[in-house]
Amino acid sequence: MTALLEVEDLRVSYGKIEAVKGISFTVDTGEVVTLIGTNGAGKTTTLRTISGLLKPTAGQIRFGGKPLRRYRPDQIVALGLAHSPEGRHIFPSMTIEDNLRLGAYLRNDRAGIEADIRKAYDLFPILGERRRQAAGTLSGGEQQMLAMGRALMSQPRLLMLDEPSMGLSPIMMQKIMSTIAELKAQGTTILLVEQNAQAALSLADQGHVMETGNVVLSGSGSNLLHDESVRKAYLGED
Ligand code: ATP
């Protein structure tokens, strides 16, 4: 069986600077795969290239067997790939509910959209309680919930989350991570970029460690969690 997402020898440059230097990995349906690594390793660049926001200089990205090279970002969303970006990018003056509806802009099944809005409120009750308020009034963690809820509104076959725990309090971070675990239990396929290696590897089926544009180590989440070099470099152990 072919993987849902296949990234093969991917290279991406910003002008003369090569940020991603020939990486390969796959994501199977139902899996959570994480990319971990320090600042500037190329994780965000990888997600933005999969979404069609950046063009690769070499390599292949296939989704559901289709090469993505010729697709625009909106067409990639329509194929079933949703991206909750680093920094969230919610629309602060729009209501929470209208932000969620934007995630469904390519759909026209009204009843399905309403059902999915209710599902988002089940997953994140605070969003339902405040649905008529401007999204800018939410805390950072609540805005992260909204960004995830909005990405889910496109009914993705693969959900990409870029640094969902960034800048959050430990309690809020735990809440976001347990929601990702809940989505995984529901069968959602997730590609997760995280600086918090401990949290990401604890829930991932597969992990890849990125350093300066390369994947330097790959393995199951639990193997990487117990790998000595990972523990030293990313989990702050001597
Ligand atoms: P972070 O966690 O800090 O976002 P990252 O692993 O996601 O790190 P990227 O944001 O993908 O890393 O950055 C990879 C490299 O590309 C870095 O050296 C970064 O400075 C560079 N880079 C990123 N965006 C641009 C840009 N728009 N123009 C030029 N260089 C860039």
Side-chain angles (χ1 to χ4, degrees):
M1 201 186 76
T2 52
L4 178 61
L5 178 74
E6 299 163 89
V7 173
E8 202 179 303
D9 294 328
L10 183 70
R11 291 179 178 269
V12 192
S13 294
Y14 298 102
K16 286 191 177 139
I17 301 166
E18 191 168 53
V20 174
K21 301 174 180 166
I23 65 166
S24 300
F25 63 91
T26 58
V27 181
D28 285 334
T29 299
E31 258 190 339
V32 174
V33 174
T34 188
L35 304 179
I36 61 168
T38 49
N39 280 328
K43 306 178 300 295
T44 296
T45 302
T46 301
L47 292 198
R48 290 176 59 81
T49 309
I50 296 169
S51 283
L53 299 166
L54 295 170
K55 289 287 163 215
T57 46
Q60 278 283 348
I61 303 170
R62 280 183 295 271
F63 183 62
K66 283 194 177 79
L68 292 187
R69 192 171 275 275
R70 290 179 204 290
Y71 289 89
R72 293 191 312 263
D74 58 317
Q75 294 171 319
I76 291 176
V77 175
L79 289 175
L81 230 158
H83 185 174
S84 174
E86 187 174 11
R88 294 143 206 169
H89 298 282
I90 57 140
F91 294 90
S93 58
M94 287 171 57
T95 65
I96 287 156
E97 185 150 314
D98 284 345
N99 268 273
L100 282 177
R101 283 184 197 285
L102 270 185
Y105 77 108
L106 292 169
R107 297 172 59 184
N108 44 28
D109 57 323
R110 273 198 166 185
I113 292 171
E114 297 313 314
D116 282 347
I117 285 180
R118 284 194 298 276
K119 262 197 215 164
Y121 294 156
D122 285 343
L123 197 59
F124 302 115
I126 187 79
L127 299 184
E129 285 161 27
R130 297 180 56 183
R131 62 184 178 275
R132 308 249 171 264
Q133 292 180 22
T137 64
L138 295 173
S139 74
E142 291 159 355
Q143 290 187 16
Q144 182 58 52
M145 295 174 184
L146 180 56
M148 286 168 63
R150 183 182 55 187
L152 287 166
M153 288 300 298
S154 65
Q155 292 189 313
R157 294 165 70 198
L158 173 63
L159 175 64
M160 298 198 295
L161 301 173
D162 195 351
E163 304 262 4
S165 77
M166 188 163 70
L168 303 185
S169 66
I171 287 177
M172 196 48 101
M173 192 202 79
Q174 250 177 26
K175 164 86 185 115
I176 294 292
M177 287 299 166
S178 67
T179 306
I180 297 171
E182 197 175 329
L183 289 171
K184 175 185 169 162
Q186 291 171 9
T188 312
T189 309
I190 298 172
L191 177 56
L192 171 66
V193 159
E194 254 301 329
Q195 294 243 349
N196 186 329
Q198 172 90 41
L201 292 174
S202 301
L203 59 83
D205 298 294
Q206 298 291 325
H208 305 280
V209 180
M210 286 189 74
E211 273 174 21
T212 58
N214 294 298
V215 169
V216 294
L217 192 62
S218 298
S220 70
S222 58
N223 280 351
L224 290 180
L225 201 53
H226 296 108
D227 181 277
E228 202 177 329
S229 63
V230 172
R231 299 195 73 82
K232 275 191 185 151
Y234 300 101
L235 304 176
E237 294 188 0
D238 295 327

